[in-house]
Amino acid sequence: MNTEAAIHPDFQHRPTLWSAGMIVAPLLAGALLIATYFVWNNVEQARHERRLQTFGVAVDRVVSNLSDRIAAYELVLRGVKGYYEGSHSIHPQEFRSYVKALNLPQTRPGLHAISLLANVPWTDVAGHEAIMRSLGLTDYHVRPAQERAQHAPVTHIEPMTLDNSRRLGHDALAHPEQRHALERARDSGVMALSGPLWHEGDALNPEDAGLLVMYMPIYATHQPPDTVAQRRSTIVGWVAASFRLADVIRGLAHEFDTDLALAIHDGPSVAGGVSLFASHVDYAPHAVNGGLESVRSLDVGGRRWTLVLYPLPAFEQRFESFTHHMVALLGVALSLLASWFVGWQVNARRRAMSLAYKMTRQLRRARDELEGTLNAVPDLLFEVDANGLVHHYRSARTYQAGVAAPMLVGRVLADVLPPPAAAECMAALAEAGEHGYSEGRQYCLKLQGVEHWFELSVARKDSRRLAPGAAPHFIALARDVTRRHEAETAMHRLAYFDALTGLFNRRLLMQHMHTALLDARRGGWLGGLFYIDLDNFKQINDARGHGVGDSMLEQAASRLRAAADGHDTVARLGGDEFVMLVARLGTEPAAARQQALLRAQSLRESLQAPYEVDGTRYGSTASIGVTLFPRAAEGVHDLLREADTAMFRAKELGRNQVCFFEQDMHTQAQERLALEQDLKDAVERDALQVYAQPQVDAAGRPIGAELLLRWSHSQRGWVPPQQFIAVAEASGLIARMGARVIHQACTALARLQGQGLALSISVNVSPSQFRQADFVDQVRRTLADTGAPAELLTLEVTESLLVENWQDTASRMHELVALGVRFSIDDFGTGYSSLAYLKRLPLYELKIDRSFVQDAPLDGNDAAIVQAILSVARHLRLRVVAEGVETRQQADFLIAHHCDGLQGYLFGRPQPLQDWLDGLKTG
C-alpha cells in the first residue's frame, strides 16, 4: 500500500493538475498578451487619430479664417466702390470721413490703406493734376512723370499717415506687379490681387516691401460691360486696399492654434513660388513629426496661394502620453506573472478580473480625453433626425443653444427654437436629406437679451451599415457669426446710405426712383423729383471749415427728413446736393404741378432758416429744381438730369428760387454741352487763334496791344467770345486757355525786344485762373523760359476778383509785381466793389469800359463818368486806357481829358497776332 497516497488523497491528482496548469498557463499568458496588445494598439491608434483630427481642425480654421479675412477686405472694396459710384465727385475730406466711419483698425485689422486710383490718359495728366490741387492737395503731381498711354495715380488714400501721404499721385501702372493686377481687374471686372511689391528705384518707398494690393475696377457704366474691349474703354478708376500678410496673420493670431507653423507662398506650389509669409523660418517639420503637414491652395483675386501648415514640437507634446505604454508593459508583466501563478494554482480568476479592471480604467481615460477634445470645439454640435428630434448635443458655450443640454436632448427643434429659427433648421435638414449636405443658412436667437446670428452646416450621417433600414440622422454644426453679420450689415448701410447724414445715397435713390416711375405709369399717378442745392455753402465750408459745413449738412438733412411724408424718399447725392422723391402728387397735371410748387416752397422756407453751429448762426438758402413724372419714355437718369437742369436754372435766376423743368432747358443744356465738347476738342488741338487789338497814345503812335482769343468752328463758323469764354469758365478750360495766351504774349514780347521795340502787351486773366495754386509759378516760369521783359506784360483782371478772398488776391498780386508784371483793372466802373482797392493794391492802369465810351461825349452822364475815372486815376498816378473808341469825336474827347491810351476800331480791328507783329516790323 502506498502510504503517501493514503495520507494525501489528492496526490494522485497532482500530475493532472500540473498538466492542466502547464497547458492553461501558456494559453492564458498568450491570451492576456494578445489582449494587452489590442488595448495598447487601440489607444495608440486613438491617440494618432485624435492628433490627426486636432491637426485637421486647426488647419481648416486657419484656412477658413484667412479666407474670411480676405473676403472681408473685398467686401470693404465693394462698399467703397458703391460709395464712389453714388457720388459725382469725392472730396478728400469726404473720403476721409467715409473711411473713418468704417472703423477699419477694429473691424478689419491688417488693412494698410484704402485708396482710389483714377484712369488718366497722358494727355489729361496736367488737367488731372490741376483738379486735384484745387481740392486742396497743393503738392499733388503724377509720378513718375513718364509718358505712357494711361496712368493710374492714387487720388485718395486713407488713413492719411506719413507713409500713405507719399503715395498720393503715385502711378500704379509704373510698377509691373501693380500694372498686372490693375489690368486683370480692368479686363475681368472683378477683384484682382497683386503679387508682393518690392522696392525698385524711385517707383516705390522702401516701406512698400512685401505689400499686397487688392484692386476692384470702377466703370463709367457702374456695372462691368460684357466684353473686354468695352471694359477697357469705360474704365474710370480702381478701388484699392493694401495690406501685409504678416499684419493679417497677426490680426488673426487669437483665432489660430499657436502650436502650428504656417508658411504661405505666392504660386501653385512651393517650388518656384514666392514666399509671402513664414511664422518659423528655421523649423524643419520632418525632423520632429515624421512628415505631418498639410498643403492647401487658396485662390485670392486671380492668384493662387499655397499654404503649408505643420505642427510645432509643442503641438506634439499634447499627445505624448507614456501611460498606455506603461499599461502595456504592466499587462505583459501581469500576463507572465499570471502564467507563473497558474503553474501553482489553477484558479486565477481574481487576478484576471483585476487586470481587466485596470485596462478598462485606461480605456475610460482615453475616452475622456476624446470627450475633452470635442468639448473644446467652440461651435454648437448636435445630432438630429429628419423630424428635428435632437439625439445628441454638445457645445463648450452653453449659451448658444438657448436652453440647457438635458432640456434639449429628446425634444424637437420646433419646440425649443423660435419659429423663424426652427424653419431655417428644418429647411437645412431637408436640403441635406436631398443633397447630402447643406451650408450657409443663418438664423437668429436672442440670448441673454442680445441677438446672436448662427450659420448652419448640416451633413447626412451614414448609419445604414450599423443599422440597415434605420431613419437617417444628421450632424449639424452651428457657428456664431454675429460679428460677421454685424460687419455685413454695416457695410450694406455704408453702400446704400450716406455716411454723414444717414440719408439714402445715389444707388438706393435710383432704385426707389425706378419703383416710383413704374408705379406712376401703372396707376396713372403724377410724381415729382425735387433737386435741392444749398446756396453759398462752399463759401461757408471753405471759410469756417468742414466741421461747420458737416453740421449744416446734417441740419439740412434733418429738416428735409422732417418735411417728408411717410412715402417720400430723401437722399444726399454728395456735397450740398439733396434730392426728395414724392411718388404721388395727384392725377391731373395742373393739380400735381400746384402741389409740387407748394411742397417746393415749403422746403425752400424750411432750409432758409438760420443754422446754428457752436453758438454761431449761419444763413443759407436753397435753389430747388423740380420735374414731374412720368414723362414719355424717360428713365430715372433722365429725370435726375432734368431736375438738376432746373436747379441750375434756379441758381441762374438769382438763387433761393424754385424752378420747374421745361423742355427748352434740355435743349439749351444739350447745346451748351455740345459747345463745351467742341471747345475741349479745340483746346486739345490748339485750334483757338490769338488775335491782337492795337493800343495807341494821343498822337496815334502804337504803344501796345491787347491779346484776344478767337475761335473758328468748322460747322458753327466764328463763335462769339462772350459765348465760348463763359463755357470755358464753367468747365475749367479757361486755365489752360489763359496759360497759352500768356505764353504767346511773353513770346511776342521777347520778339519785340529783339527788334528794339518796347511795346506792352495786355492779357485777360480770369478769376479762376488767377486763383490757381501755382499761377504765380506759371508766370515766373513762362517769363524765364521766353526771356520776355516782365515790365511790359500787363495782366488785366476784373473787379469781381477783388471782391472775394481779398487778402489772398493782394498777396499774389504783390508777388507778381515783384517780378515786374503790371496789373490793369478791366471794364472799370461796371463792378460794385469799393474804390478803396485802388490805393491798397499794386495797380498800373485802369481800362474804361466801352459802355461809357460809346455815348460820350453826347450823353452827359457817360461823359461825367469818364471824366471822373480819368480824374481819380490822375490823382492816384494810374495809367488809363479807353476801350471801344470807334469815332473821332470819342477820341478827341478822351484826348482832351488826358486819356493815356486808346483802343478800338478807329485805330485797328483785332487781327492775328503774327500779322500784327509783322506789321510792326514792316512799319
Side-chain angles (χ1 to χ4, degrees):
M1 180 177 180
N2 192 326
T3 306
E4 185 176 358
I7 297 173
H8 303 285
D10 292 333
F11 180 79
Q12 58 184 337
H13 300 291
R14 284 186 179 181
T16 304
L17 291 174
W18 178 258
S19 300
M22 292 296 290
I23 296 173
V24 172
L27 292 177
L28 180 60
L32 291 176
L33 289 173
I34 292 174
T36 300
Y37 170 77
F38 278 108
V39 171
W40 173 85
N41 186 61
N42 288 338
V43 174
E44 182 68 14
Q45 288 186 357
R47 183 188 72 85
H48 182 65
E49 290 175 359
R50 187 169 70 252
R51 172 172 168 264
L52 293 179
Q53 183 180 16
T54 303
F55 177 71
V57 170
V59 169
D60 290 341
R61 185 178 301 169
V62 170
V63 176
S64 175
N65 287 334
L66 183 58
S67 178
D68 288 348
R69 181 54 52 88
I70 298 301
Y73 291 173
E74 182 177 357
L75 189 61
V76 172
L77 287 184
R78 293 189 181 278
V80 178
K81 178 182 178 182
Y83 172 63
Y84 179 92
E85 292 174 347
S87 302
H88 281 306
S89 62
I90 301 178
H91 193 278
Q93 184 64 33
E94 293 182 358
F95 188 73
R96 179 174 297 113
S97 301
Y98 174 82
V99 175
K100 184 178 180 182
L102 296 179
N103 197 17
L104 295 178
Q106 282 70 39
T107 61
R108 297 294 182 266
L111 270 184
H112 186 265
I114 299 295
S115 56
L116 294 176
L117 290 81
N119 183 41
V120 181
W122 169 251
T123 55
D124 291 345
V125 167
H128 168 75
E129 290 177 340
I131 292 174
M132 295 307 298
R133 291 167 186 163
S134 68
L135 296 179
L137 303 177
T138 56
D139 296 328
Y140 180 90
H141 63 278
V142 178
R143 49 190 175 77
Q146 300 172 353
E147 181 174 354
R148 285 184 301 278
Q150 299 294 126
H151 297 263
V154 177
T155 60
H156 300 69
I157 188 167
E158 290 295 334
M160 187 57 73
T161 62
L162 180 59
D163 290 341
N164 285 341
S165 65
R166 294 171 180 167
R167 294 178 175 87
L168 282 173
H170 166 68
D171 182 6
L173 286 174
H175 188 270
E177 281 292 342
Q178 292 177 288
R179 180 174 66 252
H180 180 64
L182 288 168
E183 291 174 349
R184 284 193 294 109
R186 176 199 65 195
D187 294 345
S188 63
V190 298
M191 186 271 287
L193 177 68
S194 75
L197 307 185
W198 303 108
H199 180 54
E200 296 182 4
D202 294 331
L204 292 173
N205 293 321
E207 292 83 3
D208 292 334
L211 205 64
L212 301 174
V213 188
M214 303 168 63
Y215 295 102
M216 183 163 292
I218 303 173
Y219 301 97
T221 57
H222 290 185
Q223 296 296 328
D226 296 331
T227 66
V228 172
Q230 292 173 344
R231 293 170 189 161
R232 292 180 178 178
S233 63
T234 58
I235 187 73
V236 297
W238 295 264
V239 183
S242 58
F243 60 92
R244 288 187 177 88
L245 204 51
D247 296 339
V248 176
I249 301 301
R250 191 178 302 112
L252 295 173
H254 64 284
E255 300 180 26
F256 287 178
D257 193 329
T258 58
D259 293 341
L260 290 186
L262 170 64
I264 303 177
H265 300 265
D266 183 22
S269 64
V270 175
V274 177
S275 176
L276 298 179
F277 174 81
S279 60
H280 294 76
V281 178
D282 55 349
Y283 175 62
H286 295 279
V288 177
N289 53 46
L292 178 60
E293 67 177 15
S294 177
V295 179
R296 299 289 184 90
S297 293
L298 184 63
D299 292 327
V300 181
R303 303 185 75 90
R304 172 157 293 186
W305 288 355
T306 300
L307 282 65
V308 181
L309 300 101
Y310 47 86
L312 296 170
F315 179 88
E316 298 295 336
Q317 291 174 3
R318 301 185 201 170
F319 307 96
E320 287 294 338
S321 175
F322 297 97
T323 304
H324 63 291
H325 297 303
M326 296 299 296
V327 171
L329 292 176
L330 182 61
V332 171
L334 289 176
S335 299
L336 296 176
L337 183 61
S339 65
W340 182 77
F341 271 102
V342 166
W344 298 95
Q345 60 183 50
V346 176
N347 189 7
R349 185 170 180 271
R350 183 178 61 83
R351 301 284 186 182
M353 291 294 294
S354 177
L355 179 61
Y357 171 76
K358 292 181 180 179
M359 294 171 62
T360 302
R361 185 172 59 183
Q362 294 297 325
L363 291 175
R364 287 177 178 174
R365 182 177 298 174
R367 183 199 63 187
D368 292 342
E369 290 182 3
L370 179 60
E371 187 85 5
T373 300
L374 292 176
N375 285 335
V377 176
D379 301 323
L380 175 64
L381 183 69
F382 53 95
E383 181 177 345
V384 295
D385 59 20
N387 297 319
L389 180 66
V390 180
H391 292 271
H392 298 287
Y393 157 77
R394 182 186 306 275
S395 175
R397 303 176 182 177
T398 55
Y399 74 87
Q400 291 182 338
V403 297
M407 297 176 62
L408 186 63
V409 176
R411 300 181 66 182
V412 179
L413 292 175
D415 295 337
V416 296
L417 295 178
E424 284 294 326
C425 292
M426 295 306 296
L429 290 176
E431 185 177 355
E434 181 179 357
H435 302 290
Y437 68 92
S438 173
E439 59 182 359
R441 290 186 177 272
Q442 295 186 1
Y443 64 89
C444 180
L445 290 180
K446 195 167 187 178
L447 307 177
Q448 301 175 358
V450 179
E451 285 190 348
H452 286 259
W453 283 88
F454 296 88
E455 185 175 80
L456 272 176
S457 297
V458 182
R460 187 173 57 208
K461 184 179 179 181
D462 190 5
S463 57
R464 291 173 295 179
R465 289 180 297 179
L466 300 178
H473 281 207
F474 301 88
I475 302 299
L477 184 72
R479 170 170 294 182
D480 191 334
V481 293
T482 303
R483 289 186 179 180
R484 189 178 77 190
H485 188 272
E486 291 174 349
E488 291 174 351
T489 302
M491 292 304 301
H492 176 272
R493 182 168 185 81
L494 290 173
Y496 288 96
F497 291 85
D498 179 56
L500 177 64
T501 63
L503 299 177
F504 291 2
N505 63 10
R506 177 183 291 268
R507 176 180 292 182
L508 200 52
L509 170 67
M510 289 300 188
Q511 295 179 7
H512 281 232
M513 287 176 59
H514 181 73
T515 302
L517 189 58
L518 291 179
D519 292 343
R521 285 174 175 156
R522 293 168 182 167
W525 290 94
L526 288 173
L529 189 67
F530 300 75
Y531 202 112
I532 306 152
D533 186 272
L534 301 183
D535 298 326
N536 302 318
F537 173 79
K538 186 178 186 303
Q539 288 83 344
I540 298 176
N541 193 54
D542 292 343
R544 297 299 182 184
H546 292 288
V548 172
D550 289 348
S551 179
M552 289 183 61
L553 292 175
E554 290 173 344
Q555 293 182 47
S558 178
R559 297 178 187 182
L560 292 174
R561 194 183 290 110
D565 292 338
H567 300 288
D568 298 342
T569 298
V570 182
R572 180 186 177 216
L573 298 185
D576 58 345
E577 295 180 340
F578 298 87
V579 169
M580 177 179 284
L581 172 67
V582 180
R584 295 187 177 184
L585 290 171
T587 57
E588 296 297 328
R593 185 182 179 92
Q594 180 62 27
Q595 186 66 22
L597 179 60
L598 294 176
R599 291 292 297 271
Q601 294 287 6
S602 176
L603 291 176
R604 186 175 62 85
E605 293 172 1
S606 173
L607 293 174
Q608 72 182 4
Y611 296 82
E612 184 169 340
V613 182
D614 296 333
T616 303
R617 295 162 68 89
Y618 298 92
S620 179
T621 57
S623 298
I624 303 176
V626 186
T627 186
L628 302 180
F629 64 86
R631 190 195 300 267
E634 294 178 339
V636 293
H637 292 284
D638 299 319
L639 295 177
L640 195 61
R641 172 181 48 76
E642 291 173 358
D644 188 17
T645 301
M647 183 273 293
F648 274 106
R649 178 58 59 86
K651 283 191 175 293
E652 292 175 356
L653 293 175
R655 295 185 173 88
N656 195 23
Q657 302 288 329
V658 175
C659 185
F660 281 82
F661 174 79
E662 304 296 342
Q663 191 58 42
D664 62 335
M665 294 182 185
H666 179 56
T667 303
Q668 294 174 8
Q670 284 185 321
E671 174 60 24
R672 184 181 182 89
L673 179 60
L675 184 63
E676 180 180 332
Q677 294 298 324
D678 290 346
L679 180 59
K680 182 178 180 181
D681 180 65
V683 173
E684 293 291 342
R685 295 184 295 102
D686 198 16
L688 298 179
Q689 302 176 37
V690 178
Y691 273 54
Q693 185 171 25
Q695 296 175 348
V696 300
D697 60 11
R701 293 186 297 269
I703 59 175
E706 178 185 359
L707 298 193
L708 306 169
L709 277 177
R710 293 294 183 264
W711 180 21
S712 177
H713 191 273
S714 57
Q715 281 84 33
R716 302 174 186 270
W718 287 99
V719 182
Q722 62 270 23
Q723 184 177 358
F724 74 81
I725 291 296
V727 173
E729 287 275 7
S731 62
L733 292 171
I734 194 69
R736 295 177 61 185
M737 295 162 56
R740 178 177 177 273
V741 175
I742 291 177
H743 190 275
Q744 293 267 21
C746 290
T747 302
L749 285 173
R751 175 178 171 181
L752 291 173
Q753 186 183 40
Q755 297 174 3
L757 299 176
L759 300 179
S760 66
I761 293 182
S762 300
V763 177
N764 289 285
V765 177
S766 72
S768 59
Q769 179 187 3
F770 184 84
R771 294 193 184 98
Q772 282 188 297
D774 61 342
F775 177 71
V776 176
D777 292 334
Q778 287 181 13
V779 176
R780 182 185 291 110
R781 287 196 302 268
T782 304
L783 290 171
D785 293 343
T786 60
E791 66 277 4
L792 295 179
L793 175 63
T794 302
L795 301 182
E796 295 186 7
V797 297
T798 60
E799 291 177 287
S800 62
L801 176 66
L802 310 177
V803 177
E804 300 178 4
N805 203 350
W806 163 270
Q807 294 180 344
D808 182 65
T809 300
S811 175
R812 293 195 180 192
M813 290 180 71
H814 280 288
E815 285 187 70
L816 290 167
V817 169
L819 298 176
V821 178
R822 298 169 175 175
F823 276 95
S824 173
I825 303 299
D826 194 17
D827 301 332
F828 182 77
T830 60
Y832 298 94
S833 57
S834 170
L835 295 179
Y837 65 77
L838 292 180
K839 65 176 182 179
R840 298 171 60 185
L841 292 177
L843 299 176
Y844 172 70
E845 74 176 18
L846 305 178
K847 294 195 73 173
I848 303 176
D849 187 68
R850 64 179 65 250
S851 62
F852 300 128
V853 174
Q854 63 184 1
D855 292 329
L858 301 179
D859 186 291
N861 292 331
D862 286 344
I865 292 175
V866 171
Q867 293 177 35
I869 294 174
L870 289 168
S871 176
V872 170
R874 187 164 50 254
H875 283 85
L876 295 176
R877 294 191 177 93
L878 295 177
R879 188 172 180 272
V880 179
V881 175
E883 294 182 301
V885 181
E886 298 180 354
T887 66
R888 190 71 246 175
Q889 186 179 18
Q890 294 170 348
D892 292 340
F893 170 75
L894 293 167
I895 293 170
H897 290 86
H898 309 292
C899 184
D900 302 290
L902 306 174
Q903 177 182 339
Y905 287 173
L906 180 63
F907 306 104
R909 291 177 175 271
Q911 57 183 310
L913 174 60
Q914 187 62 43
D915 293 349
W916 178 70
L917 293 173
D918 293 341
L920 291 174
K921 182 178 179 181
T922 303

